[in-house]
Amino acid sequence: MTTETGVETGAGARHRATGRRMSTGRAGDKIFVSAARGSGIVVLAIMAAIAVFLIWKAIPPLRANEANFLTSEAWNPNATPPRFGIAQLAFGTVVSSLLAMLIATPVAIGIALFISFYSPRRLAAGLGYLVDLLAAVPSIVYGLWGLIFLSRHMEGVSAFLNSTLGWIPLFGGDSPGKNSIFTASVVLAIMILPIISSISREVFLQVPRAHIEASLALGATRWEMIRMSVLPYGRSGMIGASMLGLGRAMGETIAVAMVLTFVPGINLRILEDGGTTFASNIANSFAEATRTGQGALIASGLVLFVITLVVNMAARAVVARRKEFV
């Protein structure tokens, strides 16, 4: 209603004010949706541009290649005619990354569980900050540490594993060394450990408090509560964190290039010196490569791009399958 002075009061004023707020809210929603959609399109466009660039640069050397690109172990793109393949690069990349994930994931999850459910509150904050701080250390520092310090001590570890588990082909061989795929895997494991631990810790903290209290009220011990309530709830998050760490390990360049000693050919014995990966081969060879050699390195980068994309898609599929539980 309107008074004699022309001032609107009562239900009419409230209705108009509510209408203005709803109109402003709808406008904000439209802006947010447009910005989010635009950001997603930009990311997809950047990925498509990277893929097109890699394919465009890789086609000429692949046409000139005299060896099978997928199965050949030779890497000699600067020769005439060029002969190169990615078999050894793919083997070194996959094996070192998987070993790093197998080493880092149990330790990282154990750290996350200790910080979330076992350590005192004041200690947990400091430990969480310390673990997160490891993720900020540059990879070249890990590489120098692995080259100067870790490699000297890995020779004895490799000899022990060789004598104890030598009946397993991966740990066999007559000359276990210090600059091996196993040493590179340990360096990669330490690099990806803070990533997996931080994400897992955040997932564990999202477990509904009612689940935890119900398990404890039924008489479960702390470990039984974790096994029945926390781990099933956080399984998708742990898998996603592990896959993210795997992608980081696959693309690592400097640390692996500094630790590994290049020896031609695939060697199934991971304790012996030698090996290479996609990223380390690119870092070591690009400066001295000819035009064809640079194209060959770009072609190997394209394969690494595809492998990383497949790993991330697999992680997304695993996480999506667990949405019903969450």
Side-chain angles (χ1 to χ4, degrees), residues 108-109 111-112 115 131 192-202 241:
I109 292 176
I111 292 172
I115 294 175
V131 172
I192 66 177
L193 188 146
I195 299 174
I196 302 175
S197 179
S198 297
I199 298 176
S200 300
R201 187 173 74 250
E202 293 299 325

Side-chain angles (χ1 to χ4, degrees), residues 185-272:
S185 300
V186 174
V187 175
L188 290 175
I190 296 173
M191 289 185 61
I192 66 177
L193 188 146
I195 299 174
I196 302 175
S197 179
S198 297
I199 298 176
S200 300
R201 187 173 74 250
E202 293 299 325
V203 171
F204 295 154
L205 293 177
Q206 300 303 317
V207 177
R209 196 67 194 173
H211 292 189
I212 298 174
E213 293 176 353
S215 297
L216 296 175
L218 291 174
T221 62
R222 188 169 298 186
W223 165 242
E224 290 173 338
M225 176 271 295
I226 291 173
R227 183 169 54 85
M228 293 186 297
S229 300
V230 176
L231 295 182
Y233 184 90
R235 186 174 302 164
S236 61
M238 290 187 293
I239 294 173
S242 301
M243 291 298 179
L244 185 62
L246 178 62
R248 167 77 187 277
M250 283 185 170
E252 180 50 44
T253 304
I254 300 299
V256 177
M258 297 180 72
V259 171
L260 273 180
T261 299
F262 176 74
V263 176
I266 294 177
N267 188 359
L268 297 178
R269 300 179 175 93
I270 61 172
L271 298 179
E272 294 184 347

Side-chain angles (χ1 to χ4, degrees), residues 91-210:
F91 174 81
T93 300
V94 173
V95 171
S96 62
S97 301
L98 288 178
L99 280 174
M101 191 180 71
L102 290 176
I103 296 171
T105 301
V107 178
I109 292 176
I111 292 172
L113 289 174
F114 176 77
I115 294 175
S116 302
F117 299 104
Y118 285 96
S119 65
R121 187 178 299 272
R122 292 182 179 179
L123 180 61
L127 289 176
Y129 176 77
L130 183 62
V131 172
D132 294 340
L133 190 62
L134 290 175
V137 177
S139 60
I140 190 172
V141 175
Y142 285 107
L144 289 172
W145 172 76
L147 177 64
I148 298 173
F149 177 79
L150 182 65
S151 296
R152 294 183 303 173
H153 300 278
M154 287 303 296
E155 195 166 8
V157 176
S158 298
F160 171 76
L161 292 175
N162 179 255
S163 61
T164 306
L165 303 175
W167 53 273
I168 301 176
L170 283 177
F171 299 103
D174 299 326
S175 56
K178 57 182 181 179
N179 295 322
S180 61
I181 288 181
F182 181 70
T183 302
S185 300
V186 174
V187 175
L188 290 175
I190 296 173
M191 289 185 61
I192 66 177
L193 188 146
I195 299 174
I196 302 175
S197 179
S198 297
I199 298 176
S200 300
R201 187 173 74 250
E202 293 299 325
V203 171
F204 295 154
L205 293 177
Q206 300 303 317
V207 177
R209 196 67 194 173

